[in-house]
Amino acid sequence: MLCDAAQAFGATLDGKRAGSIGNAAATSFYPPKPLGCYGDGGACFTADDGLADVLRSLRAHGEGTHRYEHVRIGTNSRLDTIQAVVLLEKLKIFPEEMRCASASRAATAPGSQAIVFARRW
């Protein structure tokens, strides 16, 4: 089972991380997602070593155990360097961003008093 964790990156339920109930999980780094970068991108996560080998092969043109051996149809799906740098920096503050987002949702939940911030010019 492949879990779509694009909108749930970092979330937990009953002590389990989002996407951890299947064989693998996928997430998106599209800008409005919880861990978005400045362009398109994504990642797959798995604890299955065999599946991880297949996923690495697929992202590198179907490469096998040798550089010029192609054992399946693949694609060029590597994250570019600038996106990786942005994501590394965002990962450092990700837990705090999730706490702030959670507090914001709680403040605007039904029955609570909404807080409105206005910018003064």
Side-chain angles (χ1 to χ4, degrees):
M1 176 184 356
L2 176 64
C3 300
D4 178 354
Q7 286 295 91
F9 188 85
T12 59
L13 178 65
D14 298 329
K16 292 184 178 181
R17 292 241 176 240
S20 66
I21 63 169
N23 303 84
T27 191
S28 169
F29 299 138
Y30 191 66
K33 301 293 182 185
L35 185 63
C37 56
Y38 295 142
D40 289 333
C44 290
F45 308 94
T46 184
D48 179 318
D49 291 338
L51 182 55
D53 288 341
V54 171
L55 292 170
R56 278 190 285 274
S57 171
L58 288 171
R59 72 116 210 244
H61 300 290
E63 188 175 271
T65 55
H66 304 288
R67 180 177 178 133
Y68 298 108
E69 171 193 33
H70 294 86
V71 296
R72 61 186 50 88
I73 296 173
T75 184
N76 180 9
S77 296
R78 294 175 296 258
L79 197 62
D80 64 63
T81 305
I82 190 69
Q83 303 305 329
V85 169
V86 168
L87 288 167
L88 284 172
E89 292 303 310
K90 290 185 83 171
L91 273 170
K92 293 176 185 176
I93 61 169
F94 187 74
E96 179 61 22
E97 283 192 342
M98 290 295 95
R99 281 191 289 281
C100 290
S102 183
S104 175
R105 282 190 300 276
T108 57
S112 66
Q113 185 176 0
I115 302 170
V116 178
F117 296 94
R119 175 177 264 172
R120 298 186 93 189
W121 300 100

